Amino acid sequence: MLLPHYTLRTPTPADADACYAIETSAYEGDEAATLEKIALRIRQYPEGFMLLEIDGRIAGFINSGCADQVALSDSAFKELVGHHPDGRHCVIMSVVVHPDFQGQGLAAILLHNFILRMRRLGKHSILLVCREQHIALYERFGFGYVQPSASAYGGHVWHEMALLLKA
């Protein structure tokens, strides 16, 4: 598969609307972050928010927050309650690719580069919750399955995964 030419960058506040449109096109109902949450994540932790652009159009993104103590089932963390940019543990909140660009390996490009960024920032681990159909994707990047999540976010069953970056 020939991958398209892409650019990775940190978002600006002006990117919030485009990111929200992608988020709501890819996640079902209550799973999607609100525009306000996306804008907050851009403002509060731009280092943990990575955009992938193709021909100047945002095709996908990853966003996250950090803390020293993490409870993945804590829905308040989605609003960055308890977030601290210097926290040892990074929590991915969204990995999303616009439907027009899915199936081109863009989620893999985002994950690879995001993991490199978190290593450079000195994070100890990257944590996330995902739906069952995405477990294999994260395992390909070294994430290990932890347990079914206590979270019922969006009314779905979620699974906790972790990638240890350093001890």
Side-chain angles (χ1 to χ4, degrees), residues 25-141:
S25 72
Y27 286 110
E28 300 173 13
D30 290 345
E31 317 179 18
T34 64
L35 175 60
E36 293 76 18
K37 285 181 185 176
I38 290 173
L40 177 70
R41 294 170 190 172
I42 291 170
R43 279 192 320 272
Q44 297 255 332
Y45 193 49
E47 301 86 357
F49 206 125
M50 180 180 284
L51 300 181
L52 186 148
E53 288 184 327
I54 297 175
D55 296 327
R57 181 176 170 203
I58 299 171
F61 63 88
I62 293 180
N63 63 53
S64 66
C66 293
D68 285 323
Q69 299 293 321
V70 177
L72 289 176
S73 61
D74 182 2
S75 61
F77 194 73
K78 296 264 185 197
E79 297 178 34
L80 296 182
V81 173
H83 162 74
H84 190 280
D86 295 327
R88 292 175 297 165
H89 308 289
C90 174
V91 179
I92 291 177
M93 296 182 205
S94 296
V95 177
V96 60
V97 174
H98 190 283
D100 291 349
F101 296 99
Q102 291 178 1
Q104 298 179 42
L106 302 184
I109 292 168
L110 279 163
L111 279 166
H112 173 77
N113 285 283
F114 186 83
I115 291 167
L116 290 174
R117 180 185 281 181
M118 292 303 115
R119 282 186 197 280
R120 281 193 304 271
L121 290 173
K123 301 305 175 193
H124 291 233
S125 68
I126 301 174
L127 311 169
L128 59 86
V129 295
C130 67
R131 304 278 301 280
E132 185 171 353
Q133 65 264 31
H134 297 116
I135 291 172
L137 167 70
Y138 295 113
E139 286 176 336
R140 286 196 309 265
F141 286 88

